[in-house]
Amino acid sequence: MYYGDYLELSKILDSQHPVSFEAGHEPAHDEMLFIVIHQAYELWFKQILFELEYVSGIFGKERINDNSEDLNLVRHRLNRVARIMELLNQQVNILDTMTPLDFLAFRNLLTPSSGFQSVQFRLIEARLGLQMANRYRKEYYKRTDEGGFTGHDYKEITETEEQPSLLQLVNRWLERMPFFEKDVWDDYPPSGSDGAYHPFWDVYREVYRKSLTERESGKIHDFDYVFLEKADASLSPELLPALRGSFSPAALRAALFIMLYRDFPVFQASYQVLDKLIEIDHLLSNWRHKHIVMVRRMIGLRVGTGNTSGAGYLEGALASHYIYRDLSGLSTYLIQRNQLPPLPEKLTRRLGFNV
């Protein structure tokens, strides 16, 4: 086996063909950098999709054994995705070595192609769980006219969007968390409230309410809506989707419970999986922000080559395209560690390692 043959370098290194270098144009030196940067993006996108396919396969199982290698490997794969996203963010710094005038030397030759047409990036968003209903300027995504997708690419994106996303699979996994069976909580001390909810949430709600300052007191109504499916009349209907988006109340209860009691050994892998999903979402947001800054610097307020509104579209996507907002928002409902309600002995035996 020869190094160049194994990596098929002849194909990769012969795949850069600047349009400005063709007859009839003045060669634009920085077009080569532009091509290499975006080809590198696409190679890393391919690796991200490869890792997400593995992770989705694990979460697609009917049952996941926390004592097997499955959850630990999921954590490892998601950490790899996060590290790749960090690299993609850093890669923008290299593209920034190109000045606006350098870009204008070949920009018009690219029309109507656009980074918007990156099929793999759309697949990453769809696999992670970004739903069409939550996309900014939805009409941009479902078109095959100039600046849109080819029929083949449109079909591939649509088929991926119709499959269970990682968000949906994680939601189902969280809903299966077996920590709230009534028999474990039979002897749990009452909270002093009306006992309308599960014993733990009855107690936790009261502890959380007492932890709020006077200015924060209204957060108890948010808590009731997010976790207990009780909407107070003081909550504006327009704000409800921001409080609880794509995850179910049962899944969010399990996720908060994992975050609260993550020091128990059995929760370590589960907590880190949730934390990596939040980190990946934040890194995607950072990537979009860097893209906005770059586009403003390169073309100002001009329209994108793919007939989008340019920086305006990117700003809207940045604000709208958070996928795991529900999970990152759980920090709102945490309390100090020393105030955590003690758990029933039956449950602590399940959550720990008894050696």
Side-chain angles (χ1 to χ4, degrees):
M1 179 65 69
Y2 186 62
Y3 175 81
D5 294 336
Y6 175 66
L7 297 178
E8 298 191 57
L9 292 181
S10 60
K11 294 181 181 178
I12 296 174
L13 299 180
D14 192 35
S15 298
Q16 296 76 42
H17 306 289
V19 179
S20 66
F21 282 54
E22 295 176 0
H25 300 295
E26 183 178 347
H29 180 88
D30 280 25
E31 189 182 355
M32 177 64 80
L33 172 68
F34 189 83
I35 292 173
V36 170
I37 285 279
H38 286 83
Q39 287 180 340
Y41 273 136
E42 294 295 334
L43 283 172
W44 284 121
F45 289 164
K46 183 173 184 177
Q47 185 66 37
I48 290 174
L49 287 168
F50 185 70
E51 304 298 348
L52 292 180
E53 182 178 1
Y54 176 89
V55 172
S56 295
I58 296 298
F59 279 117
K61 293 182 178 180
E62 192 168 328
R63 189 176 183 85
I64 301 176
N65 182 357
D66 282 1
N67 292 321
S68 73
E69 65 179 4
D70 282 351
L71 212 56
N72 189 55
L73 285 175
V74 163
R75 174 180 57 180
H76 180 62
R77 307 293 188 229
L78 290 176
N79 183 60
R80 179 175 292 163
V81 171
R83 301 291 73 79
I84 293 173
M85 287 305 308
E86 280 186 343
L87 177 62
L88 298 185
N89 277 318
Q90 294 167 4
Q91 202 166 274
V92 177
N93 297 333
I94 302 174
L95 195 55
D96 276 341
T97 63
M98 180 173 62
T99 70
L101 286 178
D102 293 332
F103 184 45
L104 285 174
F106 65 91
R107 178 179 184 260
N108 288 343
L109 299 176
L110 308 181
T111 303
S113 67
S114 167
F116 175 86
Q117 296 165 326
S118 172
V119 175
Q120 290 195 117
F121 188 72
R122 300 298 159 216
L123 296 180
I124 288 171
E125 290 181 320
R127 286 187 183 277
L128 284 172
L130 181 59
Q131 299 174 342
M132 179 56 63
N134 296 331
R135 287 188 182 274
Y136 177 71
R137 299 295 297 267
K138 295 186 285 291
E139 68 274 14
Y140 281 168
Y141 295 88
K142 290 300 181 182
R143 59 192 179 99
T144 55
D145 57 0
E146 189 174 87
F149 297 101
T150 65
H152 175 273
D153 291 346
Y154 179 95
K155 181 174 182 290
E156 183 179 10
I157 294 170
T158 301
E159 288 175 350
T160 299
E161 290 172 342
E162 292 171 350
Q163 297 170 6
S165 69
L166 181 57
L167 185 151
Q168 292 170 321
L169 296 174
V170 169
N171 185 82
R172 295 174 193 172
W173 168 67
L174 287 169
E175 288 179 335
R176 298 197 301 265
M177 289 293 172
F179 306 118
F180 303 113
E181 296 98 332
K182 287 289 185 182
D183 64 306
V184 177
W185 299 86
D186 283 343
D187 301 325
Y188 201 61
S191 64
S193 64
D194 59 7
Y197 312 112
H198 183 281
F200 174 79
W201 295 111
D202 212 30
V203 171
Y204 188 82
R205 180 186 185 278
E206 187 64 14
V207 176
Y208 176 70
R209 185 187 66 78
K210 291 179 179 178
S211 75
L212 298 172
T213 65
E214 184 177 351
R215 294 180 61 187
E216 296 174 321
S217 60
K219 288 296 177 186
I220 193 63
H221 302 308
D222 296 354
F223 180 94
D224 289 343
Y225 175 73
V226 170
F227 301 104
L228 306 177
E229 303 180 71
K230 177 183 176 183
D232 188 86
S234 64
L235 295 176
S236 170
E238 293 79 15
L239 297 178
L240 295 183
L243 291 177
R244 189 181 71 226
S246 302
F247 282 87
S248 69
L252 291 175
R253 289 195 295 269
L256 180 60
F257 193 78
I258 289 169
M259 290 184 178
L260 291 169
Y261 296 97
R262 62 191 183 214
D263 292 334
F264 282 96
V266 76
F267 281 152
Q268 278 295 299
S270 300
Y271 168 71
Q272 290 181 37
V273 165
L274 297 178
D275 195 52
K276 286 302 168 189
L277 291 173
I278 294 171
E279 183 183 6
I280 290 169
D281 210 19
H282 288 169
L283 287 167
L284 277 170
S285 174
N286 291 344
W287 188 82
R288 292 187 180 100
H289 181 261
K290 282 179 173 287
H291 199 183
I292 291 171
V293 173
M294 180 188 66
V295 168
R296 280 180 181 160
R297 173 176 173 266
M298 290 293 183
I299 65 171
L301 299 178
R302 296 174 70 170
V303 298
T305 52
N307 294 327
T308 68
S309 57
Y313 159 74
L314 295 171
E315 288 172 352
L318 173 63
S320 305
H321 291 184
Y322 283 96
I323 303 171
Y324 294 96
R325 189 192 300 268
D326 288 0
L327 295 183
S328 59
L330 291 177
S331 298
T332 307
Y333 308 104
L334 298 177
I335 60 175
Q336 294 179 17
R337 185 181 270 108
N338 61 8
Q339 294 180 353
L340 284 176
L343 299 178
E345 186 178 347
K346 288 181 184 178
L347 184 57
T348 57
R349 284 200 299 267
R350 294 186 191 179
L351 301 181
F353 294 151
N354 300 304
V355 180

mmCIF file of all heavy atoms in Angstrom, residues 22 42-44 49 69 99 161 171 229 252 255 261 282-283 307 326:
data_model
loop_
_atom_site.group_PDB
_atom_site.id
_atom_site.type_symbol
_atom_site.label_atom_id
_atom_site.label_comp_id
_atom_site.label_asym_id
_atom_site.label_seq_id
_atom_site.Cartn_x
_atom_site.Cartn_y
_atom_site.Cartn_z
ATOM 1 N N GLU A 22 -9.330 30.315 -15.824
ATOM 2 C CA GLU A 22 -9.688 29.859 -17.158
ATOM 3 C C GLU A 22 -9.476 30.985 -18.169
ATOM 4 O O GLU A 22 -9.406 32.160 -17.812
ATOM 5 C CB GLU A 22 -11.151 29.391 -17.179
ATOM 6 C CG GLU A 22 -11.403 28.166 -16.301
ATOM 7 C CD GLU A 22 -12.871 27.781 -16.254
ATOM 8 O OE1 GLU A 22 -13.677 28.487 -16.905
ATOM 9 O OE2 GLU A 22 -13.200 26.799 -15.550
ATOM 10 N N GLU A 42 -16.152 20.662 3.725
ATOM 11 C CA GLU A 42 -17.005 19.554 3.305
ATOM 12 C C GLU A 42 -16.447 18.209 3.764
ATOM 13 O O GLU A 42 -17.208 17.291 4.099
ATOM 14 C CB GLU A 42 -17.199 19.573 1.792
ATOM 15 C CG GLU A 42 -17.988 20.774 1.271
ATOM 16 C CD GLU A 42 -19.430 20.794 1.758
ATOM 17 O OE1 GLU A 42 -19.985 19.717 2.068
ATOM 18 O OE2 GLU A 42 -20.021 21.902 1.836
ATOM 19 N N LEU A 43 -15.124 18.073 3.788
ATOM 20 C CA LEU A 43 -14.532 16.836 4.298
ATOM 21 C C LEU A 43 -14.856 16.647 5.774
ATOM 22 O O LEU A 43 -15.188 15.540 6.224
ATOM 23 C CB LEU A 43 -13.018 16.840 4.084
ATOM 24 C CG LEU A 43 -12.541 16.553 2.659
ATOM 25 C CD1 LEU A 43 -11.034 16.775 2.547
ATOM 26 C CD2 LEU A 43 -12.890 15.109 2.260
ATOM 27 N N TRP A 44 -14.768 17.724 6.545
ATOM 28 C CA TRP A 44 -15.098 17.632 7.976
ATOM 29 C C TRP A 44 -16.595 17.429 8.183
ATOM 30 O O TRP A 44 -17.007 16.725 9.111
ATOM 31 C CB TRP A 44 -14.599 18.864 8.720
ATOM 32 C CG TRP A 44 -13.113 18.858 8.948
ATOM 33 C CD1 TRP A 44 -12.213 19.790 8.530
ATOM 34 C CD2 TRP A 44 -12.360 17.866 9.648
ATOM 35 N NE1 TRP A 44 -10.943 19.432 8.928
ATOM 36 C CE2 TRP A 44 -11.003 18.257 9.616
ATOM 37 C CE3 TRP A 44 -12.696 16.669 10.306
ATOM 38 C CZ2 TRP A 44 -9.991 17.505 10.219
ATOM 39 C CZ3 TRP A 44 -11.685 15.912 10.899
ATOM 40 C CH2 TRP A 44 -10.356 16.339 10.849
ATOM 41 N N LEU A 49 -21.100 13.832 9.882
ATOM 42 C CA LEU A 49 -22.252 12.998 9.531
ATOM 43 C C LEU A 49 -21.985 11.535 9.860
ATOM 44 O O LEU A 49 -22.878 10.808 10.310
ATOM 45 C CB LEU A 49 -22.591 13.151 8.047
ATOM 46 C CG LEU A 49 -23.248 14.473 7.661
ATOM 47 C CD1 LEU A 49 -23.269 14.645 6.138
ATOM 48 C CD2 LEU A 49 -24.668 14.549 8.221
ATOM 49 N N GLU A 69 -20.711 -0.369 26.796
ATOM 50 C CA GLU A 69 -19.849 0.650 26.183
ATOM 51 C C GLU A 69 -20.642 1.661 25.357
ATOM 52 O O GLU A 69 -20.097 2.680 24.945
ATOM 53 C CB GLU A 69 -18.804 -0.024 25.294
ATOM 54 C CG GLU A 69 -19.389 -0.741 24.093
ATOM 55 C CD GLU A 69 -18.354 -1.387 23.204
ATOM 56 O OE1 GLU A 69 -17.167 -1.349 23.544
ATOM 57 O OE2 GLU A 69 -18.735 -1.926 22.160
ATOM 58 N N THR A 99 -8.819 39.629 1.625
ATOM 59 C CA THR A 99 -9.436 40.952 1.770
ATOM 60 C C THR A 99 -10.688 41.051 0.904
ATOM 61 O O THR A 99 -10.879 40.254 -0.029
ATOM 62 C CB THR A 99 -8.454 42.058 1.344
ATOM 63 O OG1 THR A 99 -8.272 42.001 -0.081
ATOM 64 C CG2 THR A 99 -7.108 41.908 2.044
ATOM 65 N N GLU A 161 -34.802 14.702 6.542
ATOM 66 C CA GLU A 161 -35.692 15.434 7.452
ATOM 67 C C GLU A 161 -36.869 14.583 7.916
ATOM 68 O O GLU A 161 -37.430 14.820 8.993
ATOM 69 C CB GLU A 161 -36.200 16.709 6.779
ATOM 70 C CG GLU A 161 -35.139 17.771 6.594
ATOM 71 C CD GLU A 161 -35.614 18.945 5.753
ATOM 72 O OE1 GLU A 161 -36.631 18.801 5.044
ATOM 73 O OE2 GLU A 161 -34.964 20.003 5.809
ATOM 74 N N ASN A 171 -34.824 12.484 23.020
ATOM 75 C CA ASN A 171 -36.062 12.741 23.770
ATOM 76 C C ASN A 171 -36.679 11.419 24.227
ATOM 77 O O ASN A 171 -37.088 11.276 25.395
ATOM 78 C CB ASN A 171 -37.037 13.514 22.887
ATOM 79 C CG ASN A 171 -38.288 13.931 23.627
ATOM 80 O OD1 ASN A 171 -38.311 14.933 24.327
ATOM 81 N ND2 ASN A 171 -39.360 13.158 23.475
ATOM 82 N N GLU A 229 -46.429 20.794 33.015
ATOM 83 C CA GLU A 229 -47.480 20.979 32.012
ATOM 84 C C GLU A 229 -48.652 21.801 32.546
ATOM 85 O O GLU A 229 -49.795 21.584 32.179
ATOM 86 C CB GLU A 229 -47.972 19.627 31.499
ATOM 87 C CG GLU A 229 -46.871 18.763 30.919
ATOM 88 C CD GLU A 229 -47.360 17.422 30.417
ATOM 89 O OE1 GLU A 229 -48.068 17.408 29.375
ATOM 90 O OE2 GLU A 229 -47.045 16.409 31.048
ATOM 91 N N LEU A 252 -37.621 16.488 29.744
ATOM 92 C CA LEU A 252 -36.954 17.590 30.437
ATOM 93 C C LEU A 252 -36.836 17.313 31.932
ATOM 94 O O LEU A 252 -35.851 17.698 32.570
ATOM 95 C CB LEU A 252 -37.696 18.900 30.183
ATOM 96 C CG LEU A 252 -37.602 19.423 28.738
ATOM 97 C CD1 LEU A 252 -38.478 20.656 28.568
ATOM 98 C CD2 LEU A 252 -36.159 19.741 28.373
ATOM 99 N N ALA A 255 -33.877 15.024 32.156
ATOM 100 C CA ALA A 255 -32.633 15.754 31.890
ATOM 101 C C ALA A 255 -32.233 16.610 33.083
ATOM 102 O O ALA A 255 -31.051 16.659 33.466
ATOM 103 C CB ALA A 255 -32.789 16.613 30.640
ATOM 104 N N TYR A 261 -28.170 15.510 39.790
ATOM 105 C CA TYR A 261 -27.523 14.422 40.528
ATOM 106 C C TYR A 261 -26.414 13.768 39.702
ATOM 107 O O TYR A 261 -26.161 12.583 39.799
ATOM 108 C CB TYR A 261 -28.577 13.393 40.951
ATOM 109 C CG TYR A 261 -29.575 13.975 41.927
ATOM 110 C CD1 TYR A 261 -30.811 14.446 41.479
ATOM 111 C CD2 TYR A 261 -29.273 14.097 43.278
ATOM 112 C CE1 TYR A 261 -31.724 15.009 42.364
ATOM 113 C CE2 TYR A 261 -30.179 14.659 44.173
ATOM 114 C CZ TYR A 261 -31.402 15.115 43.714
ATOM 115 O OH TYR A 261 -32.295 15.676 44.598
ATOM 116 N N HIS A 282 -23.846 25.271 20.743
ATOM 117 C CA HIS A 282 -23.173 26.556 20.941
ATOM 118 C C HIS A 282 -22.072 26.764 19.899
ATOM 119 O O HIS A 282 -21.886 27.885 19.393
ATOM 120 C CB HIS A 282 -22.582 26.637 22.342
ATOM 121 C CG HIS A 282 -23.635 26.788 23.407
ATOM 122 N ND1 HIS A 282 -23.379 26.661 24.751
ATOM 123 C CD2 HIS A 282 -24.961 27.064 23.321
ATOM 124 C CE1 HIS A 282 -24.490 26.845 25.443
ATOM 125 N NE2 HIS A 282 -25.454 27.081 24.596
ATOM 126 N N LEU A 283 -21.341 25.706 19.559
ATOM 127 C CA LEU A 283 -20.278 25.823 18.562
ATOM 128 C C LEU A 283 -20.856 26.110 17.176
ATOM 129 O O LEU A 283 -20.267 26.858 16.388
ATOM 130 C CB LEU A 283 -19.433 24.549 18.539
ATOM 131 C CG LEU A 283 -18.504 24.368 19.751
ATOM 132 C CD1 LEU A 283 -17.952 22.949 19.797
ATOM 133 C CD2 LEU A 283 -17.359 25.379 19.707
ATOM 134 N N ASN A 307 -28.716 34.263 -4.034
ATOM 135 C CA ASN A 307 -29.983 35.002 -4.006
ATOM 136 C C ASN A 307 -30.627 35.046 -2.625
ATOM 137 O O ASN A 307 -31.841 35.215 -2.500
ATOM 138 C CB ASN A 307 -30.988 34.425 -5.024
ATOM 139 C CG ASN A 307 -30.526 34.619 -6.446
ATOM 140 O OD1 ASN A 307 -29.868 35.601 -6.769
ATOM 141 N ND2 ASN A 307 -30.840 33.656 -7.305
ATOM 142 N N ASP A 326 -33.715 23.863 24.617
ATOM 143 C CA ASP A 326 -34.400 23.337 25.806
ATOM 144 C C ASP A 326 -33.396 22.840 26.847
ATOM 145 O O ASP A 326 -33.564 23.072 28.047
ATOM 146 C CB ASP A 326 -35.317 22.175 25.428
ATOM 147 C CG ASP A 326 -36.549 22.630 24.660
ATOM 148 O OD1 ASP A 326 -36.675 23.840 24.422
ATOM 149 O OD2 ASP A 326 -37.373 21.778 24.297
#
